[in-house]
Amino acid sequence: MTSTSLPDSLIATLPGASYTDPGIFAQEQERIFEAMWFCAVRADDLPRPGAFKTVQVGRESILIARARDNSIRAWFNVCRHRGAKLCTEESGEVKRAFQCPYHAWTYDLTGKLVAAPNLTKMPDVGRTEYGLASVAVREWLGYVWVCLAEDPPPFDEVIQDVITRLGDTESIERYDIDHLSVGRRIVYDVKANWKLIIENFMECYHCATIHPELTEVLPEFADGYAAQYYVGHGAEFGEDIQGFTVDGSEGLDRLPGVSADQDRRYYAITVRPQVFVNLVPDHVILHRMYPMAADRTVVECDWLYLPHVVESGKDVSRSVELFDRVNRQDFDACERTQPGMSSRLYAKGGVLVPSEHHIGEFHDWVQARLGGQPR
């Protein structure tokens, strides 16, 4: 079925191969995840000089560390000598330098080559030239964003996704996400293509079917229109709902910058290519996706609260449980959908109803990034 044969109420999705073909996934790794700004780690996860994390960005392992001057640096996690993986742990801390476990080439916290067996006998080997290959770094919303491109795009492209959704940047700045603390982190290993997860997050046509707790708190979601469908709109809490919690009970201390018109509302934002931001009056939930294969995506989800809420040990479980249930319901649906992408019935794709038409813009964006024409 082609888009020209569809009723006006329906538009076509991407074809099934877009969600299953390793070749298409490799193109996405190269032209999306390795070419755009990628949200890698929470800056607070690197509390001291020498603290490091390794993350998968597209096809590359990236090493991110805090330097002695307290700045954050990032490099390809590859020794410049013979290509061994420099750090094999997901996180850790070094005192002064990273040493390759193969031939002991050693790099300081700026990435400079500082030692190697017989290095003094090779005066023509430049310490900077043969240092670690650096990656562009920006900090925003309290997270470290990296870009593997030799000529990174303007970071304004990231911020523009927020402006497109909320209408301005001031609306998200009021939540002061940079200075919140992680109260809970849950990592999900989802057996589904990353695009299915984004499509699911962007629409609420499924909400009445699989999200009973969420539609109890946000009754308008039962009508099938997600908050993202309207610029600047936040879904309003139900009349008898006190907080964004699994049972609608009172939440935690409200974020002081939240304006009166943002109170008792939920805002969802998709920041391409792999971040979801969820704003509610007393906390922020931020998802980072790490696409690992055409049919596998790791999602790391942070629940962020005022620092004193976390430090005091206040019980955050009711707010965590609400969106943890939503996540598991969504990811189960995506995993149920993934096998259908390989069906001959889905070779030319499926359809989007009017409340999902904005997903078509996401599909067009993906096609454009891969060098194709919008459908």
Side-chain angles (χ1 to χ4, degrees):
M1 182 182 291
T2 63
S3 58
T4 56
S5 66
L6 293 175
D8 290 343
S9 295
L10 304 176
I11 62 175
T13 68
L14 295 171
S18 294
Y19 305 88
T20 62
D21 187 330
I24 292 175
F25 181 68
Q27 290 181 6
E28 291 170 345
Q29 289 178 302
E30 177 186 358
R31 301 180 189 180
I32 296 178
F33 306 115
E34 296 173 19
M36 299 180 65
W37 287 99
F38 188 100
C39 187
V41 301
R42 182 77 179 166
D44 287 348
D45 289 340
L46 305 170
R48 294 172 296 279
F52 71 86
K53 294 202 72 163
T54 57
V55 297
Q56 190 73 20
V57 180
R59 298 162 297 180
E60 300 286 354
S61 176
I62 301 301
L63 170 62
I64 305 171
R66 192 172 291 278
R68 304 207 72 79
D69 64 0
N70 218 37
S71 64
I72 293 179
R73 311 289 183 98
W75 311 274
F76 289 89
N77 188 19
V78 178
C79 180
R80 296 299 303 280
H81 172 219
R82 297 269 297 281
K85 195 170 191 177
L86 191 62
C87 289
T88 55
E89 300 93 351
E90 289 185 3
S91 62
E93 193 169 317
V94 296
K95 289 184 177 180
R96 291 181 295 276
F98 297 100
Q99 186 175 83
C100 178
Y102 193 5
H103 295 93
W105 278 39
T106 304
Y107 308 88
D108 70 13
L109 296 179
T110 68
K112 182 180 177 181
L113 177 65
V114 293
N118 304 317
L119 184 60
T120 56
K121 298 179 180 178
M122 299 177 280
D124 56 333
V125 176
R127 304 298 182 94
T128 300
E129 181 186 359
Y130 284 90
L132 295 176
S134 63
V135 169
V137 170
R138 284 288 302 266
E139 290 187 57
W140 188 55
L141 303 181
Y143 285 85
V144 178
W145 303 66
V146 299
C147 184
L148 277 54
E150 289 186 16
D151 185 17
F155 197 78
D156 287 349
E157 291 184 7
V158 176
I159 298 172
Q160 184 58 48
D161 276 348
V162 174
I163 297 173
T164 300
R165 168 66 185 93
L166 297 180
D168 55 44
T169 57
E170 291 78 15
S171 294
I172 197 170
E173 288 167 358
R174 296 188 191 111
Y175 292 81
D176 197 20
I177 301 174
D178 302 58
H179 298 109
L180 300 183
S181 295
V182 177
R184 187 73 58 83
R185 173 173 292 159
I186 299 178
V187 179
Y188 308 86
D189 199 328
V190 188
K191 296 177 178 62
N193 185 271
W194 68 280
K195 296 186 295 299
L196 289 178
I197 297 173
I198 288 187
E199 292 164 16
N200 173 278
F201 184 73
M202 291 181 70
E203 54 92 359
C204 213
Y205 193 46
H206 68 277
C207 287
T209 309
I210 71 171
H211 293 320
E213 299 88 356
L214 185 63
T215 52
E216 184 72 22
V217 173
L218 305 172
E220 69 181 70
F221 273 14
D223 295 332
Y225 282 88
Q228 293 187 74
Y229 192 82
Y230 309 100
V231 176
H233 177 69
E236 192 169 3
F237 292 6
E239 186 176 342
D240 298 326
I241 297 300
Q242 294 179 287
F244 198 73
T245 57
V246 70
D247 55 3
S249 59
E250 187 175 355
L252 296 151
D253 294 359
R254 176 176 156 181
L255 307 181
V258 172
S259 64
D261 61 343
Q262 291 173 313
D263 194 19
R264 294 182 55 79
R265 288 186 179 272
Y266 162 79
Y267 298 85
I269 310 162
T270 302
V271 181
R272 296 169 296 182
Q274 42 78 251
V275 173
F276 305 148
V277 185
N278 308 269
L279 308 172
V280 293
D282 66 325
H283 64 282
V284 171
I285 306 160
L286 194 139
H287 300 67
R288 283 167 284 144
M289 293 195 302
Y290 299 87
M292 307 301 288
D295 58 356
R296 179 179 174 231
T297 308
V298 173
V299 183
E300 194 164 297
C301 187
D302 290 342
W303 281 258
L304 304 164
Y305 303 86
L306 288 169
H308 75 262
V309 168
V310 176
E311 292 163 6
S312 66
K314 287 187 177 181
D315 184 8
V316 300
S317 62
R318 285 175 301 167
S319 57
V320 170
E321 185 177 351
L322 174 58
F323 226 85
D324 180 43
R325 288 193 191 184
V326 171
N327 284 339
R328 294 180 191 278
Q329 291 157 352
D330 281 338
F331 299 154
D332 283 349
C334 293
E335 290 185 341
R336 193 178 308 118
T337 303
Q338 182 66 36
M341 300 297 98
S342 300
S343 170
R344 70 181 71 180
L345 183 66
Y346 211 80
K348 294 183 179 179
V351 295
L352 301 169
V353 301
S355 63
E356 304 170 309
H357 280 187
H358 57 298
I359 294 174
E361 298 174 8
F362 167 64
H363 291 164
D364 289 343
W365 173 82
V366 170
Q367 294 288 83
R369 293 292 312 187
L370 300 188
Q373 297 297 316
R375 294 158 301 108

